[in-house]
Amino acid sequence: MRRYHRSKGHGIHSPFAFKFVLNVLRERLPYYAYEELDLLRRRAKEQSCSFMHRPRIISLKSAKYLFRIVNYFNPGDILQIGTNYGVSSASMLAVSHKISLYLCEPDVNEFPITHDILSHYGNTVNIYPSFKDGIKAYSDTPTGQSTPFVLINDINPEEYNSILSYLYKVRNENGVIIIRNIARNSLLQALWDALRDAATTGMTFTNNKTAVIVATSKLPHQNFSLWF
């Protein structure tokens, strides 16, 4: 009941949080990219049926709110760790042709549909086999040096500590961090718990599946548990 109450905007006193919850996370009006995302997701789903052990495809609902979050913050460059079929990447790139994606995905060749989907966005996609390579390239961009925007879909256990250290840095630089699949992946849950518990400023929003960290130092420290 508490989640339901907050999800409707009741009891949220921060103007930023109120607007973000109602106009971004829970927005129900259609956007120009929704039809394209639906088609790409259907194609990925059809092609993935041939794999015996295949990871889940991002839901259309999740793809839509990922699009809305990126549309709201409008970052110039995005760092993404893990993608599987490329649909989550497309959800962000569909916002604007001016966005460049730095994708860390060692298994990108495992699913050919990934290259097919990402080919729609031309040279705005940069793929790296490891987090170390991707973060180095991303950090050299003006956006990566100032107000970073990071999406975490999946991580390798051996890179957990390095990624957590980098995300602490992103948080200290007023960045935005999105962590997906926290209900299905204990490492991602641990990552989210560590970042949330260590924060002293900024706001977080979660539906227990995805967590959004807006680490702006000008915002008071608040955690919102919602439905979106």
Side-chain angles (χ1 to χ4, degrees):
M1 289 300 294
R2 184 178 179 183
R3 266 172 134 195
Y4 178 82
H5 188 72
R6 285 287 182 90
S7 300
K8 295 291 184 178
H10 303 300
I12 299 179
H13 302 294
S14 163
F16 167 79
F18 186 85
K19 179 180 179 181
F20 188 67
V21 169
L22 295 187
N23 296 346
V24 180
L25 297 180
R26 291 181 56 82
E27 176 63 78
R28 296 296 180 260
L29 295 176
Y31 279 80
Y32 56 88
Y34 283 1
E35 184 176 352
E36 175 189 348
L37 294 178
D38 187 21
L39 290 174
L40 290 175
R41 185 180 179 277
R42 288 175 185 270
R43 285 174 55 193
K45 189 174 182 180
E46 290 171 0
Q47 294 194 34
S48 69
C49 289
S50 60
F51 298 103
M52 184 174 295
H53 301 289
R54 60 185 187 274
R56 293 186 180 185
I57 299 177
I58 184 173
S59 69
L60 183 58
K61 178 181 178 181
S62 297
K64 287 179 178 179
Y65 69 63
L66 187 55
F67 169 87
R68 294 195 302 270
I69 294 170
V70 174
N71 186 66
Y72 179 80
F73 289 105
N74 194 28
D77 304 290
I78 297 173
L79 174 68
Q80 179 177 350
I81 302 176
T83 186
N84 293 332
Y85 307 103
V87 181
S88 58
S89 301
S91 301
M92 300 186 295
L93 292 169
V95 171
S96 170
H97 68 278
K98 296 180 180 180
I99 294 176
S100 293
L101 179 69
Y102 293 77
L103 174 62
C104 307
E105 178 52 83
D107 301 323
V108 69
N109 294 321
E110 185 173 346
F111 304 105
I113 183 61
T114 305
H115 287 290
D116 185 20
I117 288 177
L118 295 181
S119 67
H120 289 264
Y121 305 98
N123 57 8
T124 62
V125 181
N126 309 279
I127 302 176
Y128 302 90
S130 71
F131 169 75
K132 182 179 179 180
D133 295 334
I135 189 55
K136 183 181 184 303
Y138 179 72
S139 296
D140 289 339
T141 68
T143 302
Q145 293 173 354
S146 55
T147 52
F149 191 103
V150 183
L151 169 67
I152 313 289
N153 271 329
D154 193 16
I155 58 176
N156 294 324
E158 60 271 19
E159 292 184 326
Y160 175 85
N161 290 329
S162 297
I163 291 174
L164 179 58
S165 295
Y166 174 71
L167 293 180
Y168 281 141
K169 182 174 180 288
V170 170
R171 188 196 60 191
N172 292 336
E173 294 175 350
N174 300 321
V176 176
I177 303 168
I178 304 173
I179 306 175
R180 298 188 58 251
N181 303 315
I182 58 178
R184 298 199 301 264
N185 188 310
S186 59
L187 282 178
L188 295 175
Q189 178 70 57
L191 202 66
W192 157 233
D193 290 341
L195 291 167
R196 181 197 59 216
D197 295 344
T200 56
T201 59
M203 295 183 174
T204 70
F205 306 83
T206 184
N207 58 6
N208 286 347
K209 297 178 181 178
T210 297
V212 183
I213 302 169
V214 183
T216 303
S217 58
K218 295 180 180 180
L219 293 173
H221 179 48
Q222 287 183 279
N223 300 314
F224 295 96
S225 180
L226 311 154
W227 286 339
F228 58 84

